[in-house]
C-alpha cells in the first residue's frame, strides 16, 4: 500500500511562508515579504528578528548547527557547519544566531574553482543570503541558501548570475508587457526539471574503481542484452527501487520539494524523477538537494545512485530536461491565451525566444558541454549537438504563414486570418512531441533537453533568461513609440510587422523534423547552424564570441572578468576530468586487468602442459585461447604505456585551451585504444578471473 502524504509532513523541515507568518511579528513578516517579492534591500533589524525566529524554529526541529549553503563553480553544493553555540563567562552556553550571521558568511574561498578570479592572498569569500529560496533543515543543520562572492564582489558561484539573470528578464519582460498595458509586479522564470539517474547495487559499485572515481565505467564489454527489447521504459518498478523511491519522496516532501512523477527510463536500471515546476532559483536549489538525497537514500537500500551522463556504454545515458516558461504574477506568458490581444503577446514572446535561441545558439550549446555530456550529445539517444527549435505542426504552420504573409489553415481546416492574431485553442493539445529536438515547444513551455543529468541547471537558465531579456529589450525599443501613440490598430500592425521581420531573420533555427536523421547535419550546415562536436570546441567558440560577452555584461549577469573565469573553469574542469579518467584507466589496466589476464593465461597454459603430458598433445582450444589472451595482454600493455605517457604530457601543458583540445583530440582516442582490447579480453576471460563486475551483472540485478 502506498504511504499517504499527510499534509503536516509536507514542508515540515522548511522555514516557509506559513512558518514565517506564524513566527514573525507582523511588521517584520511584511518587511521580509517585500524583500522576497520586490527585491528591496534587507534591514539589519529585520534580519535580526528573522534570524532569531529561524533559530528557535530550527532548534525545536532538532537542529544544532547552521550553514550557508552555496553552489561554487564546480556546480555541487557546499556547506560549512557552525554551531548555534555561544559560550558564556559563567561556563554555560547560549544558543544564538544573529541577523549578521544569517545575512553574511565568510568561508575561505581558496579551495574552490574560481578561474583566476581571486588571488590566493585574498582568500576570503562571502556568502550572502538568498531570501527568495527558503531555508530548510537537513540532517540537524539549518541550511540557508546563499550566493557566494569574492571580496571584490565578483560572483564565485552559480546562483549569483542566475539571480541576476532573473532580475534582467523580469525588468525587460515588464517593459514589453507595459506596451500591452499590463503591469505585473514580477515576471519570474519557472523551471521544472526531469532528473534521470541509474541505480545499481552498492556491492557492484564498490568493486568498480572507474565508477567510484569517475562516475562512469571506463571499461566493460557489451551486455548480452541492452535496451533493444524496450521493456524497461515505464515498466514495473522493482521492489528495491520502489522502496528507495518511497523513502525519497517522503524526504523530499518534508523539504517542501514537490516530487511528482517517477518512472523507469529506457535503459535497464535507469529511472526518472520530475517535480512540479517552481520559481527558477528554488527549482534549482531543490534539484541539487534532490540529487544529494538520491545518493544518500540509495545507500539505505544497498544501492548506489549514478548521476553521471553516461555511466554505461551501449545503453542510453542520463539527461536533465529543463522545462522553462515565464510567469507574470502567475500568468504563463507562454500560454497562447484566449483573446487576440493575448495571442499577439504570445506571438511576441515566442518570437523573442526564437530569435534569442538562434542568435546565441553557440552559448546554449556550450553551457551544456561537459566531459560527461559529450558522451550523450550527438549520440542517437539524446538531442543532437546542433541547437534547433521544434514548434510542432500547428505552431510551426502559424509561423510559416506569418513569414509568408498567407492565411493559416489549420489541420482542422479552420482558416485563420493572421492580420488579427487569433490563435486556435487546439494549439496546446496538438503540439506533438518530438523527442529528438533539443529545444521543443511543449504546449505552454519550452523544454531544453540538452542539459546533462549531473549539471547544475543554474547555467542553462542564466543563459536562457539573459538572451531572452536581450530580445525583449529590442522588441520594446522597436514598438515603444507606436505604443505611446495610443492607436491600438497601429500598434497591432507594427507588432505583426516586427514579428514577421524577426521570424524571417531567424527561421533557420526552426526544425520540426527528425534530429537524429543523418541528413539533418548537412541541412543544419547549409542553414549555418552551429555544430560543435565536443566540449573544447563548443566552449572556445562560445566564450570567445564578443556578442555573448557583451550581452551578459549589458544585462548585468556576468562582467567580462566573471565571464573569463567561467571560460577558464569550464576548460579546466574538462581537462582535469579527462586526465583523471586516463589515470584511472592506466591504474585499472596495470593493477587489475593485466594481472587477472596473466593468471588466466597461466592456468590455460598449465592445462595445456598437463594435456600434453598426459594425453600427448595440448588441445586446439587451449592453444588458441592461450595465444589470444597472450596477444591481448601485449596489446593492453602497449596501449597502457601509450596512454600513460600521453596523459602525462598533456597534463603538463600550461595553456588550458591547448590542454583541453589535446584531451579531446589525443587523450580520448588513446583511452578508446586501451578500452578496446580490455573489453575484447573480458569477453574471453573466465568469469571467476575477471576482477570487476560485468555489465551483465551490474545491469541485471534483482
Ligand atoms: P514530460 O511528458 O516531458 O515528462 P511533464 O508534463 O511531465 O512532461 O512535465 C515535465 C516537467 O515540466 C515537470 O517538471 C512539470 O512541472 C514542468 N512544467 C509543466 N508546466 C511548466 C511550465 N509552465 N513551466 C515550467 N515547467 C513546467
Ligand atoms: Mg520531458
Amino acid at each position: 500500500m502506498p504511504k499517504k502524504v499527510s499534509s503536516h509532513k509536507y514542508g515540515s523541515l522548511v522555514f516557509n511562508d506559513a512558518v514565517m507568518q506564524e513566527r514573525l511579528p507582523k511588521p517584520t513578516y511584511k518587511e521580509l515579504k517585500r524583500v522576497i517579492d520586490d527585491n528591496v534591500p534587507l534591514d539589519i533589524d529585520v534580519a535580526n528578528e528573522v534570524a532569531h525566529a529561524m533559530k528557535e524554529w530550527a532548534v525545536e526541529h532538532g537542529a544544532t548547527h547552521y550553514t550557508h549553503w552555496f553552489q561554487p563553480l564546480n556546480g555541487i553544493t557546499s556547506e560549512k557547519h557552525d554551531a548555534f553555540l555561544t559560550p558564556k563567562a559563567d561556563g554555560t552556553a547560549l544558543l544564538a544566531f544573529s541577523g549578521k550571521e544569517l545575512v553574511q558568511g565568510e568561508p575561505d574561498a581558496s579551495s574552490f574553482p574560481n578561474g583566476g578570479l581571486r588571488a590566493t592572498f585574498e582568500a576570503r569569500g562571502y556568502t550572502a543570503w538568498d531570501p527568495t529560496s527558503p531555508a530548510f533543515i537537513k540532517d540537524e543543520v539549518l541550511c540557508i541558501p546563499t550566493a557566494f562572492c569574492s571580496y571584490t564582489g565578483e560572483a564565485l558561484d552559480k546562483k549569483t548570475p542566475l539571480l541576476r539573470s532573473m532580475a534582467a528578464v523580469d525588468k525587460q519582460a515588464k517593459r514589453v508587457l507595459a506596451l500591452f498595458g499590463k503591469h505585473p509586479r514580477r515576471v519570474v522564470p519557472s523551471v521544472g526539471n526531469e532528473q534521470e539517474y541509474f541505480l545499481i547495487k552498492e556491492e557492484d559499485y564498490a568493486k568498480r574503481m572507474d565508477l567510484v572515481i569517475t562516475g562512469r565505467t571506463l571499461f566493460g564489454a557489451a551486455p548480452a542484452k541492452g535496451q533493444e527489447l524496450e521493456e524497461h521504459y515505464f515498466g514495473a518498478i522493482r521492489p528495491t527501487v520502489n522502496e528507495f523511491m518511497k523513502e525519497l519522496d517522503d524526504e523530499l516532501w518534508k523539504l517542501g520539494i514537490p516530487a511528482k512523477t517517477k518512472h523507469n527510463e529506457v535503459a535497464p536500471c535507469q529511472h526518472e524523477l520530475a517535480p512540479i515546476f517552481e520559481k527558477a532559483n528554488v527549482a534549482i536549489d531543490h534539484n541539487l538537494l534532490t540529487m544529494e538525497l538520491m545518493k544518500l537514500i540509495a545507500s539505505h537500500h544497498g544501492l548506489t545512485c549514478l548521476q553521471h551522463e553516461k555511466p554505461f556504454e551501449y545503453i542510453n545515458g542520463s539527461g536533465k530536461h529543463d522545462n522553462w516558461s515565464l510567469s507574470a504574477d502567475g500568468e504563463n506568458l507562454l500560454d497562447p491565451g484566449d483573446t487576440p490581444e493575448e495571442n499577439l503577446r504570445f506571438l511576441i514572446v515566442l518570437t523573442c525566444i526564437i530569435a534569442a535561441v538562434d542568435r546565441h545558439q553557440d552559448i546554449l550549446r556550450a553551457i551544456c558541454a561537459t566531459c560527461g555530456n559529450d558522451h550523450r550529445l550527438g549520440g542517437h539517444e539524446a538531442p543532437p549537438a546542433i541547437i534547433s527549435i521544434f514548434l510542432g505542426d500547428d505552431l510551426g504552420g502559424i509561423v510559416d504563414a506569418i513569414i509568408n504573409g498567407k492565411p493559416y489553415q489549420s489541420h482542422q481546416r479552420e482558416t485563420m486570418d493572421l492580420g488579427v492574431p487569433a490563435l486556435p485553442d487546439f494549439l496546446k493539445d496538438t503540439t506533438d512531441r518530438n523527442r529528438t529536438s533539443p529545444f521543443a515547444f511543449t504546449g505552454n513551455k519550452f523544454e531544453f533537453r540538452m542539459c546533462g543529468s549531473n549539471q547544475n541547471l543554474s547555467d542553462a537558465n542564466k543563459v536562457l533568461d539573459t538572451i531572452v531579456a536581450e530580445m525583449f529589450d529590442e522588441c520594446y525599443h522597436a514598438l515603444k513609440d507606436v505604443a505611446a501613440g495610443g492607436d491600438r490598430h497601429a500598434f497591432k500592425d507594427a507588432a505583426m510587422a516586427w514579428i514577421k521581420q524577426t521570424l524571417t531573420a531567424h527561421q533557420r533555427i526552426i526544425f520540426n523534423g527528425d534530429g537524429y536523421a543523418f541528413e539533418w547535419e548537412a541541412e543544419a550546415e547549409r542553414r549555418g547552424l552551429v555544430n560543435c562536436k565536443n566540449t573544447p570546441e563548443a566552449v572556445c567558440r562560445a566564450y570567445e564570441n564578443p556578442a555573448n560577452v557583451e550581452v551578459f555584461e549589458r544585462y548585468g549577469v556576468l562582467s567580462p572578468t566573471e565571464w573569463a573565469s567561467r571560460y577558464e573553469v569550464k576548460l579546466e574542469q574538462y581537462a582535469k576530468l579527462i586526465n583523471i579518467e586516463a589515470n584511472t584507466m592506466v591504474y585499472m589496466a596495470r593493477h587489475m586487468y593485466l594481472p587477472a589476464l596473466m593468471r588466466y593465461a597461466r592456468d590455460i597454459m598449465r592445462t595445456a602442459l598437463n594435456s600434453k603430458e598426459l594425453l600427448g598433445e595440448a588441445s586446439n582450444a587451449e592453444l588458441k585461447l592461450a595465444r589470444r589472451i597472450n596477444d591481448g595482454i601485449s596489446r593492453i600493455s602497449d596501449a597502457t604505456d601509450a596512454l600513460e605517457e600521453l596523459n602525462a604530457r598533456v597534463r603538463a601543458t600550461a595553456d588550458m585551451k591547448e590542454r583541453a583540445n589535446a584531451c579531446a583530440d589525443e587523450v580520448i582516442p588513446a583511452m578508446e585504444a586501451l578500452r578496446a582490447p580490455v573489453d575484447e579480453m573480458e569477453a574471453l576471460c573466465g568469469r571467476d578471473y575477471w576482477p570487476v563486475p560485468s555489465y551483465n551483472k551490474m545491469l541485471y540485478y534483482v
Side-chain angles (χ1 to χ4, degrees):
M1 277 295 284
K3 261 189 250 166
K4 255 174 76 184
V5 205
S6 42
S7 56
H8 71 266
K9 220 170 166 190
Y10 188 84
S12 61
L13 295 178
V14 187
F15 193 73
N16 55 24
D17 193 62
V19 179
M20 288 193 259
Q21 273 196 60
E22 186 194 312
R23 294 189 172 239
L24 293 174
K26 251 214 171 78
T28 313
Y29 170 76
K30 269 181 108 171
E31 191 47 36
L32 184 60
K33 281 297 274 184
R34 259 172 32 87
V35 172
I36 294 172
D37 294 336
D38 298 338
N39 254 345
V40 297
L42 182 71
D43 178 271
I44 189 67
D45 294 332
V46 175
N48 277 329
E49 294 205 44
V50 176
H52 177 74
M54 227 185 231
K55 182 214 68 187
E56 295 286 300
W57 169 82
V59 170
E60 280 168 36
H61 287 77
T64 52
H65 289 66
Y66 72 93
T67 182
H68 278 196
W69 189 75
F70 60 101
Q71 303 163 27
L73 293 183
N74 55 23
I76 51 182
T77 55
S78 295
E79 42 194 81
K80 177 189 83 171
H81 301 171
D82 280 305
F84 289 123
L85 205 70
T86 308
K88 291 203 304 185
D90 64 0
T92 61
L94 273 178
L95 291 181
F97 185 48
S98 69
K100 190 166 169 293
E101 286 168 310
L102 164 66
V103 172
Q104 198 179 79
E106 271 190 45
D108 183 336
S110 57
S111 301
F112 296 106
N114 61 69
L117 262 186
R118 185 201 36 73
T120 21
F121 61 81
E122 186 40 272
R124 252 179 313 167
Y126 286 100
T127 48
W129 182 31
D130 167 15
T132 64
S133 180
F136 55 91
I137 296 172
K138 179 170 67 83
D139 205 12
E140 297 174 3
V141 178
L142 170 69
C143 298
I144 300 152
T146 52
F148 181 42
C149 301
S150 75
Y151 180 66
T152 44
E154 278 136 342
L156 286 173
D157 68 343
K158 305 250 176 193
K159 187 193 262 275
T160 306
L162 173 74
L163 294 175
R164 293 174 182 166
S165 76
M166 289 168 71
V169 80
D170 170 52
K171 180 172 166 195
Q172 302 304 334
K174 281 197 294 215
R175 295 167 87 195
V176 171
L177 292 178
L179 301 176
F180 289 85
K182 284 242 167 196
H183 303 279
R185 211 164 143 199
R186 292 296 296 264
V187 175
V188 183
S190 308
V191 167
N193 56 75
E194 300 159 64
Q195 175 74 47
E196 291 180 342
Y197 60 97
F198 280 83
L199 286 175
I200 61 167
K201 281 203 157 178
E202 205 167 25
E203 62 192 52
D204 290 337
Y205 171 80
K207 290 183 195 138
R208 296 275 327 202
M209 183 180 170
D210 44 4
L211 278 179
V212 173
I213 291 188
T214 71
R216 76 178 183 105
T217 53
L218 300 168
F219 299 97
K225 172 167 104 168
Q227 61 197 37
E228 59 273 50
L229 297 180
E230 298 177 332
E231 60 199 346
H232 195 251
Y233 190 59
F234 283 16
I237 299 173
R238 21 162 106 84
T240 340
V241 171
N242 222 356
E243 286 307 309
F244 157 84
M245 286 178 170
K246 279 194 270 186
E247 189 185 338
L248 179 63
D249 276 345
D250 248 30
E251 293 304 318
L252 293 176
W253 290 335
K254 279 191 224 162
L255 287 167
I257 300 176
K260 166 119 175 124
T261 311
K262 50 186 182 184
H263 59 78
N264 284 350
E265 258 303 327
V266 172
C269 294
Q270 193 185 27
H271 314 280
E272 177 181 302
L273 182 141
I276 295 170
F277 66 94
E278 299 178 278
K279 188 163 66 173
N281 61 323
V282 176
I284 290 163
D285 284 353
H286 281 171
N287 175 245
L288 292 165
L289 260 178
T290 301
M291 290 169 74
E292 184 182 329
L293 281 171
M294 279 177 166
K295 290 188 202 159
L296 176 75
I297 290 168
S299 71
H300 299 169
H301 301 270
L303 299 168
T304 295
C305 177
L306 305 177
Q307 293 168 357
H308 192 281
E309 281 81 8
K310 189 76 177 178
F312 304 99
E313 201 67 53
Y314 313 109
I315 56 173
N316 280 5
S318 298
K320 178 149 55 197
H321 295 174
D322 185 55
N323 293 273
W324 181 91
S325 67
L326 287 171
S327 162
D329 291 349
E331 189 186 351
N332 184 355
L333 298 180
L334 281 161
D335 228 328
D338 300 324
T339 63
E341 193 64 356
E342 284 169 358
N343 288 170
L344 183 61
R345 195 187 69 199
F346 166 76
L347 286 175
I348 287 271
V349 172
L350 180 77
T351 302
C352 286
I353 296 170
I354 291 171
V357 171
D358 181 43
R359 189 181 282 176
H360 296 285
Q361 33 176 310
D362 57 347
I363 185 66
L364 275 173
R365 164 70 182 92
I367 212 70
C368 300
T370 63
C371 183
N373 219 15
D374 274 5
H375 299 281
R376 273 178 80 233
L377 297 180
H380 272 218
E381 49 166 287
I386 305 163
I387 300 264
S388 66
I389 296 179
F390 169 83
L391 294 178
D393 290 342
D394 288 307
L395 194 52
I398 289 169
V399 165
D400 281 346
I402 293 174
I403 291 173
N404 300 318
K406 293 197 182 120
Y408 169 68
Q409 198 169 61
S410 78
H411 291 98
Q412 270 86 341
R413 310 239 134 246
E414 282 170 58
T415 306
M416 216 175 90
D417 170 15
L418 286 161
V420 187
L423 301 181
D425 52 6
F426 55 75
L427 260 189
K428 194 162 174 167
D429 314 313
T430 54
T431 40
D432 36 341
R433 295 170 167 262
N434 178 338
R435 292 279 157 194
T436 69
S437 174
F439 201 88
F441 183 71
T442 49
N444 61 356
K445 63 186 192 289
F446 272 99
E447 186 168 337
F448 185 33
R449 302 205 180 100
M450 263 191 179
C451 309
S453 51
N454 210 12
Q455 282 186 282
N456 180 322
L457 286 184
S458 300
D459 290 332
N461 283 285
K462 135 192 117 185
V463 170
L464 278 174
D465 297 347
T466 309
I467 64 179
V468 171
E470 178 191 40
M471 278 313 300
F472 282 156
D473 192 5
E474 282 192 18
C475 173
Y476 167 76
H477 279 100
L479 300 176
K480 70 177 190 328
D481 291 341
V482 59
D487 177 343
R488 295 320 285 170
H489 282 290
F491 174 70
K492 190 209 72 190
D493 290 345
M496 281 311 288
W498 186 82
I499 289 169
K500 178 176 174 171
Q501 171 203 332
T502 310
L503 286 176
T504 308
H506 296 285
Q507 59 180 315
R508 64 174 183 168
I509 198 75
I510 300 169
F511 176 62
N512 288 323
D514 176 5
Y516 296 166
F518 189 63
E519 307 83 61
W520 170 228
E521 212 172 313
E523 166 66 17
E525 195 179 330
R526 268 195 297 282
R527 295 186 186 193
L529 299 180
V530 172
N531 183 9
C532 294
K533 300 285 182 215
N534 58 40
T535 296
E537 193 187 332
V539 169
C540 294
R541 177 173 179 149
Y543 281 80
E544 288 176 14
N545 180 351
N548 290 329
V549 189
E550 211 253 322
V551 68
F552 280 81
E553 184 180 22
R554 179 144 32 97
Y555 295 97
V557 177
L558 288 172
S559 70
T561 336
E562 290 170 328
W563 179 266
S565 75
R566 266 77 190 161
Y567 181 21
E568 179 81 11
V569 167
K570 258 200 145 333
L571 289 178
E572 184 184 83
Q573 294 267 329
Y574 175 82
K576 283 183 172 168
L577 284 169
I578 298 282
N579 291 147
I580 291 169
E581 289 191 349
N583 283 341
T584 309
M585 289 186 84
V586 168
Y587 185 97
M588 288 176 78
R590 288 250 160 80
H591 301 279
M592 302 169 89
Y593 295 127
L594 285 173
L597 285 164
M598 285 175 186
R599 259 195 310 277
Y600 188 48
R602 180 199 62 196
D603 286 357
I604 302 165
M605 288 188 276
R606 274 194 190 148
T607 310
L609 274 179
N610 287 346
S611 302
K612 192 163 181 207
E613 202 175 305
L614 296 172
L615 308 171
E617 61 176 354
S619 80
N620 233 347
E622 289 156 354
L623 295 176
K624 201 165 100 188
L625 192 55
R627 281 199 194 97
R628 284 179 77 182
I629 301 280
N630 252 344
D631 175 56
I633 289 173
S634 305
R635 282 189 291 143
I636 293 171
S637 163
D638 291 347
T640 307
D641 292 347
L643 178 60
E644 186 176 41
E645 194 218 293
L646 178 67
N647 193 40
R649 180 159 59 72
V650 169
R651 211 171 30 186
T653 311
D655 182 74
M656 206 34 95
K657 187 170 159 184
E658 205 182 306
R659 181 170 154 193
N661 276 301
C663 283
D665 301 336
E666 298 175 63
V667 179
I668 289 179
M671 287 164 61
E672 283 163 1
L674 172 56
R675 178 172 183 154
V678 171
D679 289 359
E680 212 182 293
M681 289 304 107
E682 180 180 347
L684 290 181
C685 187
R687 196 176 75 174
D688 297 343
Y689 292 81
W690 202 245
V692 298
S694 66
Y695 274 27
N696 280 319
K697 175 151 190 318
M698 284 186 285
L699 295 173
Y700 296 96
Y701 66 90
V702 281

